[in-house]
DNA sequence: AAATACGGCTAATTTGAATTAGCCGAACAA
DNA sequence: TTGTTCGGCTAATTCAAATTAGCCGTATTT
């Protein structure tokens, strides 16, 4: 990987562990294997590194969103996929979502960084809300909506049902971010949550 | 209020808005209405101010926990209180908990500060988890357990039921911390959540 | 009333971290 | 090959923020 990219990568790691203000330009440089002044050949300032991370993140997420829409925009067709969905499928859905967010390295670090920096300015707060609140909710709302369409879930309020599906996932995610040693237990809880969710909302009693 | 206490108070406000590292001793002093060097008549260092905040917080929470136990330890007696609990009571319970955490000034500021600082060291992470994850869960688990005992809620897994009750509350709380303009909407969602919770778990179908 | 403690101030001092200046060798382009 | 760019380095420089020194008035104690 070229140096410019490595700088972003190491900076993100450090920012996610200690927060922007507690990371020194020298720390980043050291990790990359160069001296602090050399960083300035690639970025104008420490702030510029942070901004570049945010930019790249936006790029990645847009990309990802686009990819999702390709499979997600045609609800009528996709609903068929869910026509014979079982509890196992639902479990898979939740687990996949959870593990992706939890273990995908870029996601994990970025989420932690945003958690730390979210109160610095409104833009970051909005980004956090978009990435970890609104987008997952609307995406999963769409999926669960289709499953309900297919007659496998019963509710008169998809939004609240989706909240009931996602809030515990979010909650467990924040626990694991803070303390990875809880992952195993969180995964068990996740399974129980989804099974119970299915019992509560599933049509096939 | 005496200066020593005012320093803690203003420091907490600032730390909760910008995080420890982005607050200067001079900022705190200015708010208190004195000059930076005068702060050192009260605290040995900037760090000591932070530590004092944590200490006071621990004191407050222990106090609060003690107060709760007085009413909470005798489950058999308290269960009677819930014998004729209605959806309205349940709504009140959730709303009270939510609003207390959301608006109690000390709580709000402390929670935001911990959110920012949680990844700095394990002690802070553990404190966060205790205050906003484990304690609420066990407290509400106790209450809901009693309500279930009284025959008003039906479940074979109180823990998951409690997760289903609390996770959305936690989720909404973090949204409001980030963006207070969402409070109104969050309160509506909270109500819908609890009503739906009651529909899902309530015995009196 | 003298002595002392308290809590404020201004003026240093110290420190440490970001950034700039300017050099230099390797690669590559003309 | 000669020049130019790239990306590294060391040695300043700058600047801001924490902390210390030392003064001083007020209030409290003895």
């Amino acid at each position: 990987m070229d140096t410019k990219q490595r700088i972003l990568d190491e900076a993100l790691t450090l920012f996610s562990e200690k927060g922007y203000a507690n990371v020194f330009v020298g720390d980043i440089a050291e990790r990359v294997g160069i001296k602090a002044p050399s960083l300035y050949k690639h970025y104008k300032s420490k702030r510029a590194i942070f901004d570049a991370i945010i930019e790249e993140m936006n790029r990645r997420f847009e990309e990802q969103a686009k990819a999702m829409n390709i499979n997600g925009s045609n609800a009528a067709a996709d609903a068929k996929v869910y026509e014979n969905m079982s509890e196992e499928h639902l479990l898979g859905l939740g687990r996949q979502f959870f593990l992706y967010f939890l273990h995908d390295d870029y996601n994990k670090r970025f989420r932690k960084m945003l958690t730390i920096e979210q109160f610095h300015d409104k833009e970051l707060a909005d980004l956090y809300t978009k990435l970890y609140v609104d987008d997952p909710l609307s995406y999963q709302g769409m999926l669960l909506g289709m499953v309900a369409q297919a007659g496998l879930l019963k509710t008169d309020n998809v939004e609240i049902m989706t909240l009931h599906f996602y809030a515990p996932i979010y909650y467990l995610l924040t626990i694991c971010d803070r303390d990875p040693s809880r992952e195993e237990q969180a995964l068990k809880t996740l399974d129980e949550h989804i099974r119970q969710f299915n019992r509560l909302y599933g049509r096939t009693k």
Side-chain angles (χ1 to χ4, degrees), chain A:
Chain A
M1 207 189 324
D2 69 313
T3 304
K4 187 156 186 169
Q5 184 57 40
R6 299 231 0 254
I7 291 171
L8 285 196
D9 198 56
E10 299 295 349
L12 176 55
T13 299
L14 288 166
F15 289 160
S16 76
E17 285 167 358
K18 320 207 249 180
Y20 179 82
N22 299 294
V23 172
F24 311 134
V25 176
D27 298 342
I28 304 171
E30 191 177 13
R31 287 237 188 181
V32 174
I34 59 180
K35 302 290 177 169
S38 306
L39 276 184
Y40 291 82
K41 300 289 180 172
H42 302 277
Y43 295 94
K44 201 172 101 284
S45 65
K46 182 183 174 190
R47 189 72 206 176
I49 296 173
F50 183 83
D51 293 342
I53 290 173
I54 299 285
E55 240 183 80
E56 187 187 351
M57 155 58 66
N58 272 319
R59 201 181 47 64
R60 289 196 190 206
F61 271 84
E62 265 168 43
E63 208 172 88
Q64 191 185 315
K66 209 173 292 171
M68 274 172 165
N69 269 341
I70 290 168
N71 299 329
S73 60
N74 191 341
D78 286 358
K80 301 211 166 162
V81 176
Y82 299 101
E83 259 172 17
N84 53 3
M85 172 174 265
S86 63
E87 179 175 274
E88 293 311 312
H89 288 101
L90 203 61
L91 275 170
L93 187 71
R95 225 186 262 147
Q96 180 200 340
F97 197 87
F98 182 73
L99 287 176
Y100 173 68
F101 264 59
L102 183 61
H103 287 146
D104 177 80
D105 211 41
Y106 199 81
N107 255 283
K108 187 191 189 72
R109 287 178 294 162
F110 193 79
R111 185 176 58 250
K112 287 179 73 168
M113 185 179 90
L114 263 196
T115 301
I116 297 174
E117 304 299 335
Q118 65 182 321
F119 299 125
H120 274 166
D121 66 61
K122 183 144 172 41
E123 222 173 284
L124 293 176
D126 289 348
L127 185 56
Y128 185 106
T129 299
K130 175 176 156 47
L131 295 182
Y132 306 116
V133 173
D134 292 342
D135 283 359
L137 212 70
S138 81
Y139 178 66
Q140 298 192 356
M142 189 191 69
L143 286 185
L144 292 180
M146 292 193 301
V147 179
Q149 280 288 316
L152 294 156
L153 292 171
K154 178 177 168 54
T155 182
D156 47 8
N157 188 336
V158 175
E159 265 189 49
I160 294 293
M161 180 177 75
T162 308
L163 177 68
H164 283 169
F165 186 76
Y166 180 58
I169 294 177
Y170 175 79
Y171 171 88
L172 292 170
L173 204 57
T174 65
I175 292 174
C176 294
D177 280 343
R178 211 163 16 249
D179 181 1
S181 77
R182 283 194 173 215
E183 269 186 33
E184 198 188 347
Q185 185 216 333
L187 277 170
K188 275 187 205 149
T189 305
L190 179 72
D191 273 19
E192 290 183 70
H193 152 56
I194 296 177
R195 270 190 241 284
Q196 175 73 352
F197 176 88
N198 188 46
R199 236 171 277 137
L200 292 168
Y201 284 103
R203 215 183 239 289
T204 61
K205 176 53 156 298

